[in-house]
Amino acid sequence: MSTGVSYNDQGGAEAAVEAGQESTPTSSSTGAAFGLFSADFKKNEDLKEMLESNKESLKLEAMKRIVGLIAKGKSASELFPAVVKNVASKNIELKKLVYVYLVRYAEKQQDLALLSISTFQRALKDPNQFIRASALRVLSSIRVPIIVPIMMLAIKEAAADLSPYVRKTSAHAIQKLYSLDPDQKEQLIEVIEKLLKDKSTLVAGSVVMAFEEVCPDRIDLIHKNYRKLCNLLVDVEEWGQVVIISMLTRYARTQFTSPWTEVRGAEFDENKAFYDSDSEEKKDQTEAKPYIMDPDHRLLLRNTKPLLQSRNTAVVMAVAQLYWHLAPKHEVSIVTKSLVRLLRSHREVQYIVLQNIATMSIQRKGMFEPFIKSFYVRSTDATHIKTLKLEILTNLANEANISTILREFQTYVKSQDKAFAAATIQAIGRCATNISEVTDTCLNGLVLLLSNRDETVVAESIVVIKKLLQTQPTQHGDIIKHMAKLFDNVTVPMARASILWLMGEYCEKVPKIAPDVLRKMAKTFTAEEDIVKLQTVNLAAKLYLTNSKQTKLLTQYILNLGKYDQNYDIRDRTRFIRQLIVPNEKSGALSKYARRILLAPKPAPGLESAFKDRDRYQLGTLSHSLNLKATGYQELPDWPAVAPDQSVRNVEIVEPCPCVCTESGSESEEESSEDSEKTSSDSGKSSSGSEKSSSESESDQKKKKKTKKAPQKKSKPAGDRYTEIPAVCHNLKHCLFPQNDSKKPTFRTSGISLFYMSFQVTTSSFGPLKTYELLHHMTGKGLSAKYHFPRQPCLYQPSMVAVQVILTNSSDHALEEIHIGDQSPASLNIHCFNTIERLEPGASVTVSMGIDFSDSTQAANFQLCTKEDQFSVSIQPAVGELLMASTMTEQDFCKEQGKLQGMNEASATITMATANASRQAINKQVLSVANVGEVPSSQNNFSRFAGQTVSSRALVLVSLELSESSGALLTINTEKSVMASMLLQDLKQALAQA
């Protein structure tokens, strides 16, 4: 905005016109005329000159103004030739703005955009991830079939990009390419399959959206990624969560059995023969199996539950519909509070949420009864919101709360909003129909409303009373008479028609009043509305059959009027009635049954909710809101009778490359190994107390030693290249990994494709470790447990975090069979320690575990069990313990940091404690918080550290720039944005403390 103001100040009224903004007229009529008629002639000429100048600053300023015009809704398409010339600029900021412009107008100016296609292709190789993503976005915006092969190639390359932001953009481009050329579907499915395996939360939502757009029926692509998507769901951006939840809802309905039937198999048969054999009964009982929920079904419900606290209303609504369609009936109520919370949002949000609550409240009233006051109408509510709340209150009405609800309705009837008052009267009628105890009360209240001054209220009351009287016609003759007296004052056509219908239906109960009403209608017949005329003809026919002496002439007169009416429905009805009730030579056998046809008892109309049938559509969808099938709506599948094979969701764990120990070649190492063997044999000797066993163990160890040394003397294959990686295993000093042709170490991890980096995994140089209490000896009945993170690679799986647990028996008796019990969540991957058969009083033992936290600080809950007891314990990792230290050069650090900018960067300025001013103190504090490796720095005011996440191997870079004062700029670059913010807070706290 400030740019636009200065622009107006510099150029006056003419410049404002050129910039596409409104200008104030000047006092000079000539100037005003010039500004008006020359606007098209010189529109944005100065911006074109600035874009064609040689100064980068002028070009940048021009692009800022152009983007500002676009943001205000102004057209800047005529500047396309001047802007596209700058697409090859070396200025990163200018290039970003140019791409923003091109994304907006590339589809309109396709010919000019095609001229720069080679530049876009070069930009796909740019070191800056935002430039690469923007180039792909522009390329996919050019809707020309001739460049489809180029787009396909670009999408495939972007799908393999190191930056998750670029991979996310490639997922967006898939949808654009599919809409341009559906024949590319098979190739696009291959890219989608690849991106579905991506572990980045930034990519997940976009690729699922592409999946829904291109191949929603390919459920087989989801099987292997189902559990991963469930676990990533909490960390995915909000709109991605909505898409994933919607897809997983449909997936679950095809893969799991219905949780709504608690017992399956044989059901009780009331018509079973009395003398059936007992053996058959027992056989049926054995066939009846209780419902057991699939663990993957439970995983989905458990991982979506926390999203009910989301600030995004669409996410909450998505989780609510998922629980409604997938959860057992007794668990659905957990969404109630979250839905009621959304009623404090804007009226647009309220409207959608109330529609869904109205549908839910029909089937399960108990969910919302405790929150009935949240649905009371407020004076500030819009009419459509009031009507929906009224609908919900009516659905929730029962014998216990009907008196409270009716008192509310009495207030609503007096509302100045006529439509709302009419809807309230209909709601009272529904309550009277549904709850027989209050039928008379409601009917009397509606009769009192007949004396209301408001014509709309009176008319609606008559319509509702007419429906209620059909349920108990014999008891309410007085009400019919009262309504007949009001007939002259009622002008609303529907109300007048309702009174006439009542007169005709119950004419025998008011034999004196009904003919008089017909007489009055004969006078005004030609001036009445069509619906009133039709009911007048019906009344005349019924009175002719029951009281022909008084009404014969009146009936003939009305039938003659109807015979020549302008409306063909009335003319047809009149001719039909005449032939039916007035027998003559031409009339057939039907006239004999006239009384049975016209005076047959009518069933009472059911007053039902307008939302009764909306449950055929999935909650939260546009089709549900409109109550009709919208374009693109996908039906929710029915539950399968038999659950499909659940093993299709099992993911094969790719074992890490086997390491080959190298011969050190130094006698000192062999001696040390021999010493360790002797020590172990001595300890075995002392513990067993048998010289024979120790000698046998020594001889066995010597044999093993010989067999171990034998293969090491063989020469390495010429075709294989190896590199040393220090400290990969606990008990091995050196490991060898085969290399590829890139001459860089290749790390293979479970479920992750190969990636190449010029840095190595190492162990942290930080010594002291924090110990945490796992189980207090008072709580554990003598068993105490403490744990710490040794910051070593886990022996069991590369994706696991190593944890060492110290178990101590503080009791006066031995503890037996100490082991790990049930785990929570069930999907948690824990490598448990072997069962400890016996732990003597006062003794301690250290055991190792491996836990796959999936790069999340969510606690691992499990049970620590003894032979007699079970204790619930929890291991909560600090974010820094989810990392593994790495080493790299300063040049590589800066290169990788350049790729992780923007959304992948978190920074903060901190004030450091005086004790942490030295570089050595800073390194000590950082290493105490996070398991990272120090990167050598040529600059004294910079400290750099590198690491990877244990589970996904995502790079984490930490840099600290010291200022002359005690302040410093702390920057963290990583794909894991949530982890970055948490690590930033921990480091700030550590460096600020002495």
Side-chain angles (χ1 to χ4, degrees):
M1 292 296 292
S2 60
T3 313
V5 172
S6 61
Y7 182 55
N8 289 344
D9 293 341
Q10 293 172 9
E14 182 180 344
V17 173
E18 291 172 356
Q21 302 177 2
E22 295 181 2
S23 60
T24 54
T26 59
S27 57
S28 171
S29 59
T30 306
F34 177 78
L36 178 63
F37 294 108
S38 65
D40 293 334
F41 180 69
K42 285 191 173 183
K43 192 174 184 180
N44 298 325
E45 282 298 321
D46 59 337
L47 291 176
K48 293 178 182 177
E49 292 176 3
M50 293 171 72
L51 288 170
E52 292 172 359
S53 68
N54 296 326
K55 294 183 178 180
E56 294 289 336
S57 59
L58 288 176
K59 292 181 179 180
L60 189 61
E61 180 66 21
M63 284 308 305
K64 287 181 179 178
R65 295 181 184 179
I66 292 170
V67 173
L69 291 178
I70 296 173
K72 293 177 181 178
K74 307 292 185 182
S75 175
S77 57
E78 71 278 355
L79 293 169
F80 195 93
V83 172
V84 79
K85 293 177 183 177
N86 295 283
V87 75
S89 173
K90 295 182 180 180
N91 187 309
I92 299 296
E93 292 301 320
L94 177 59
K95 188 179 284 190
K96 287 180 182 179
L97 293 175
V98 169
Y99 278 122
V100 169
Y101 177 90
L102 292 177
V103 169
R104 174 68 177 79
Y105 289 108
E107 194 168 344
K108 295 181 179 179
Q109 304 276 354
Q110 294 178 358
D111 294 337
L112 288 172
L114 282 172
L115 297 176
S116 303
I117 200 165
S118 59
T119 307
F120 302 146
Q121 289 179 284
R122 285 197 302 272
L124 292 170
K125 307 291 184 183
D126 195 276
N128 189 299
Q129 59 175 344
F130 293 107
I131 299 301
R132 297 198 301 275
S134 298
L136 179 59
R137 197 177 289 116
V138 174
L139 200 60
S140 59
S141 299
I142 304 174
R143 316 289 292 168
V144 180
I146 196 173
I147 67 164
V148 166
I150 298 174
M151 287 175 62
M152 177 59 73
L153 183 62
I155 289 172
K156 288 181 177 179
E157 289 181 354
D161 198 280
L162 288 176
S163 167
Y165 182 71
V166 178
R167 300 198 297 271
K168 175 188 178 79
T169 307
S170 72
H172 292 164
I174 288 173
Q175 304 168 58
K176 296 181 181 179
L177 179 54
Y178 179 70
S179 64
L180 178 63
D181 186 5
D183 294 336
Q184 304 294 323
K185 182 175 181 178
E186 293 304 319
Q187 293 188 60
L188 292 175
I189 289 176
E190 293 177 5
V191 181
I192 290 173
E193 185 176 7
K194 180 179 180 180
L195 288 174
L196 280 170
K197 298 175 183 177
D198 201 304
K199 288 196 172 184
S200 172
T201 55
L202 200 64
V203 181
S206 300
V207 67
V208 170
M209 188 68 224
F211 169 83
E212 290 284 77
E213 188 74 23
V214 178
C215 52
D217 54 334
R218 288 290 303 274
I219 296 294
D220 57 295
L221 299 179
I222 305 299
H223 291 322
K224 299 293 184 184
N225 302 290
Y226 172 81
R227 292 169 186 163
K228 182 197 70 178
L229 288 172
C230 289
N231 291 322
L232 289 180
L233 197 54
V234 178
D235 297 320
V236 175
E237 47 92 18
E238 293 169 340
W239 294 110
Q241 289 173 345
V242 176
V243 176
I244 294 174
I245 291 172
S246 176
M247 184 273 294
L248 291 179
T249 303
R250 287 192 302 106
Y251 177 86
R253 287 292 287 257
T254 62
Q255 300 300 310
F256 309 127
T257 53
S258 172
W260 302 334
T261 306
E262 294 300 329
V263 178
R264 304 186 183 281
E267 296 180 355
F268 179 72
D269 188 1
E270 293 180 353
N271 299 322
K272 189 176 180 180
F274 181 76
Y275 291 104
D276 279 0
S277 64
D278 293 338
S279 60
E280 289 182 3
E281 290 183 5
K282 291 179 180 179
K283 185 179 179 181
D284 289 343
Q285 289 174 4
T286 57
E287 289 178 358
K289 298 179 180 179
Y291 169 73
I292 300 175
M293 181 175 285
D294 190 296
D296 289 327
H297 191 171
R298 174 58 62 192
L299 174 68
L300 176 60
L301 295 175
R302 183 172 56 247
N303 284 12
T304 52
K305 183 179 177 180
L307 297 180
L308 289 171
Q309 311 302 323
S310 174
R311 62 183 180 181
N312 189 304
T313 54
V315 175
V316 178
M317 193 64 245
V319 177
Q321 67 84 24
L322 181 138
Y323 265 79
W324 178 259
H325 293 298
L326 300 182
K329 292 184 178 180
H330 64 276
E331 294 184 22
V332 179
S333 57
I334 67 172
V335 307
T336 308
K337 286 186 178 179
S338 299
L339 289 176
V340 172
R341 171 173 63 87
L342 298 184
L343 298 181
R344 302 188 185 99
S345 304
H346 303 293
R347 62 175 60 179
E348 295 82 6
V349 173
Q350 289 183 46
Y351 180 68
I352 299 299
V353 173
L354 287 170
Q355 279 189 324
N356 288 275
I357 292 176
T359 302
M360 299 165 81
S361 62
I362 293 174
Q363 295 185 21
R364 300 176 191 173
K365 295 184 179 181
M367 284 179 59
F368 297 97
E369 279 183 18
F371 305 95
I372 194 168
K373 290 186 178 179
S374 299
F375 303 106
Y376 286 173
V377 174
R378 298 175 180 173
S379 58
T380 55
D381 287 337
T383 302
H384 59 281
I385 301 295
K386 292 178 181 177
T387 308
L388 285 171
K389 286 186 174 181
L390 200 61
E391 181 75 29
I392 295 169
L393 287 173
T394 310
N395 292 341
L396 298 179
N398 55 33
E399 293 84 353
N401 59 26
I402 186 62
S403 57
T404 306
I405 290 176
L406 285 178
R407 280 199 300 271
E408 279 289 310
F409 286 175
Q410 287 176 4
T411 308
Y412 300 163
V413 169
K414 301 173 185 176
S415 172
Q416 297 298 317
D417 188 339
K418 305 305 178 188
F420 174 57
T424 303
I425 295 170
Q426 293 179 8
I428 294 172
R430 276 182 56 199
C431 291
T433 305
N434 298 335
I435 305 171
S436 58
E437 289 82 358
V438 296
T439 302
D440 292 339
T441 305
C442 293
L443 198 53
N444 294 332
L446 291 172
V447 171
L448 292 176
L449 290 177
L450 294 177
S451 57
N452 196 293
R453 295 179 180 178
D454 191 344
E455 189 176 286
T456 307
V457 173
V458 174
E460 199 65 40
S461 300
I462 292 172
V463 174
V464 174
I465 289 172
K466 171 236 176 184
K467 294 178 181 178
L468 291 178
L469 286 179
Q470 289 182 254
T471 61
Q472 298 173 328
T474 57
Q475 304 175 13
H476 303 292
D478 294 337
I479 296 177
I480 297 173
K481 294 177 183 178
H482 182 64
M483 294 173 69
K485 294 177 182 178
L486 295 172
F487 185 76
D488 292 338
N489 298 324
V490 176
T491 59
V492 177
M494 190 65 192
R496 290 173 69 84
S498 297
I499 295 175
L500 290 173
W501 186 90
L502 283 172
M503 294 293 110
E505 189 67 19
Y506 308 112
C507 57
E508 295 177 350
K509 301 183 185 303
V510 283
K512 296 180 180 179
I513 298 175
D516 191 54
V517 172
L518 183 63
R519 178 184 60 81
K520 293 178 180 178
M521 286 306 303
K523 293 181 180 179
T524 61
F525 184 85
T526 54
E528 297 290 347
E529 293 289 336
D530 292 341
I531 190 172
V532 181
K533 291 179 181 179
L534 287 172
Q535 291 303 327
T536 304
V537 172
N538 287 344
L539 175 61
K542 292 174 182 179
L543 287 176
Y544 182 87
L545 294 174
T546 58
N547 190 4
S548 60
K549 291 182 180 180
Q550 284 185 297
T551 59
K552 183 176 181 180
L553 294 175
L554 273 175
T555 301
Q556 291 178 353
Y557 176 72
I558 289 173
L559 291 177
N560 287 331
L561 289 175
K563 183 179 179 180
Y564 301 104
D565 196 88
Q566 294 181 354
N567 187 291
Y568 59 86
D569 283 335
I570 297 170
R571 296 198 300 270
D572 290 347
R573 177 72 63 87
T574 303
R575 294 188 183 104
F576 168 72
I577 292 294
R578 185 187 295 275
Q579 294 297 322
L580 184 64
I581 66 174
V582 183
N584 54 35
E585 296 177 357
K586 295 181 180 181
S587 59
L590 197 62
S591 60
K592 299 177 183 179
Y593 305 101
R595 180 179 287 272
R596 292 176 61 182
I597 292 173
L598 292 174
L599 299 177
K602 315 295 192 298
L607 298 174
E608 296 178 344
S609 170
F611 288 82
K612 182 182 179 183
D613 298 327
R614 289 208 188 187
D615 57 351
R616 66 181 184 273
Y617 298 114
Q618 185 176 349
L619 291 185
T621 60
L622 178 62
S623 297
H624 176 269
S625 182
L626 300 176
N627 198 23
L628 55 90
K629 190 173 181 178
T631 305
Y633 174 75
Q634 297 179 27
E635 296 283 351
L636 199 62
D638 293 327
W639 295 101
V642 179
D645 183 15
Q646 63 178 359
S647 64
V648 295
R649 290 183 290 278
N650 294 337
V651 180
E652 295 180 4
I653 299 176
V654 182
E655 295 296 334
C657 294
C659 55
V660 182
C661 297
T662 59
E663 185 176 14
S664 62
S666 63
E667 295 181 359
S668 60
E669 288 188 6
E670 291 183 4
E671 290 174 359
S672 63
S673 64
E674 289 177 2
D675 292 340
S676 63
E677 288 177 2
K678 289 179 181 178
T679 305
S680 63
S681 65
D682 291 340
S683 63
K685 181 178 178 180
S686 62
S687 62
S688 64
S690 172
E691 293 179 3
K692 184 179 179 180
S693 61
S694 65
S695 62
E696 287 176 355
S697 64
E698 286 178 6
S699 62
D700 291 339
Q701 288 169 0
K702 289 178 180 178
K703 290 178 181 178
K704 291 178 182 177
K705 182 178 177 183
K706 292 178 180 179
T707 56
K708 285 180 182 178
K709 288 184 178 181
Q712 292 178 6
K713 294 177 181 178
K714 295 180 181 180
S715 60
K716 299 174 185 176
D720 292 343
R721 290 185 294 276
Y722 293 79
T723 182
E724 283 196 356
I725 308 294
V728 172
C729 302
H730 287 297
N731 56 347
L732 301 178
K733 291 187 177 181
H734 298 282
C735 291
L736 297 177
F737 286 79
Q739 277 190 295
N740 62 353
D741 294 335
S742 65
K743 298 184 180 180
K744 292 182 181 179
T746 303
F747 300 94
R748 183 186 297 275
T749 62
S750 173
I752 303 176
S753 59
L754 298 179
F755 63 101
Y756 313 107
M757 294 285 183
S758 58
F759 57 90
Q760 299 173 338
V761 178
T762 182
T763 53
S764 175
S765 59
F766 180 69
L769 298 171
K770 294 181 181 178
T771 302
Y772 308 90
E773 186 174 66
L774 184 64
L775 180 66
H776 193 269
H777 68 89
M778 296 293 289
T779 309
K781 298 181 180 180
L783 176 64
S784 65
K786 296 181 179 180
Y787 69 94
H788 64 267
F789 300 95
R791 296 190 174 181
Q792 296 285 347
C794 186
L795 291 172
Y796 313 116
Q797 283 187 24
S799 61
M800 286 185 171
V801 176
V803 183
Q804 288 188 352
V805 182
I806 304 170
L807 301 170
T808 305
N809 185 359
S810 304
S811 66
D812 55 359
H813 61 278
L815 298 175
E816 297 181 348
E817 297 182 12
I818 303 174
H819 63 279
I820 300 295
D822 294 337
Q823 305 168 12
S824 175
S827 60
L828 188 67
N829 188 9
I830 297 182
H831 189 286
C832 307
F833 58 82
N834 295 329
T835 301
I836 300 171
E837 299 297 338
R838 185 179 179 86
L839 187 63
E840 299 295 335
S844 296
V845 63
T846 301
V847 293
S848 296
M849 298 174 60
I851 304 176
D852 189 351
F853 289 103
S854 299
D855 294 343
S856 170
T857 55
Q858 184 178 1
N861 303 308
F862 56 91
Q863 288 186 331
L864 188 59
C865 308
T866 62
K867 188 175 182 180
E868 294 85 8
D869 299 297
Q870 296 179 346
F871 309 103
S872 296
V873 295
S874 176
I875 293 181
Q876 177 84 45
V879 66
E881 304 298 344
L882 302 177
L883 306 177
M884 55 193 298
S886 302
T887 59
M888 61 169 63
T889 63
E890 183 179 11
Q891 182 181 1
D892 290 333
F893 183 96
C894 296
K895 181 180 178 181
E896 296 299 330
Q897 191 178 38
K899 297 178 182 178
L900 296 170
Q901 299 291 327
M903 298 173 66
N904 297 325
E905 182 178 272
S907 61
T909 303
I910 58 176
T911 303
M912 302 212 302
T914 308
N916 297 332
S918 66
R919 187 166 179 174
Q920 184 178 2
I922 290 172
N923 294 355
K924 182 179 178 181
Q925 290 291 354
V926 172
L927 293 174
S928 68
V929 171
N931 183 16
V932 290
E934 187 177 357
V935 177
S937 177
S938 59
Q939 299 167 289
N940 293 328
N941 64 328
F942 268 93
S943 293
R944 296 184 174 94
F945 307 88
Q948 297 178 31
T949 59
V950 175
S951 182
S952 64
R953 294 296 193 270
L955 196 59
V956 179
L957 304 177
V958 180
S959 62
L960 198 68
E961 182 182 1
L962 301 175
S963 62
E964 295 180 357
S965 60
S966 59
L969 177 62
L970 177 62
T971 306
I972 299 177
N973 300 82
T974 180
E975 299 174 4
K976 302 285 186 178
S977 56
V978 177
M979 182 177 285
S981 59
M982 296 173 67
L983 184 58
L984 190 70
Q985 294 299 323
D986 291 351
L987 288 173
K988 283 175 62 178
Q989 186 177 359
L991 292 169
Q993 294 177 353

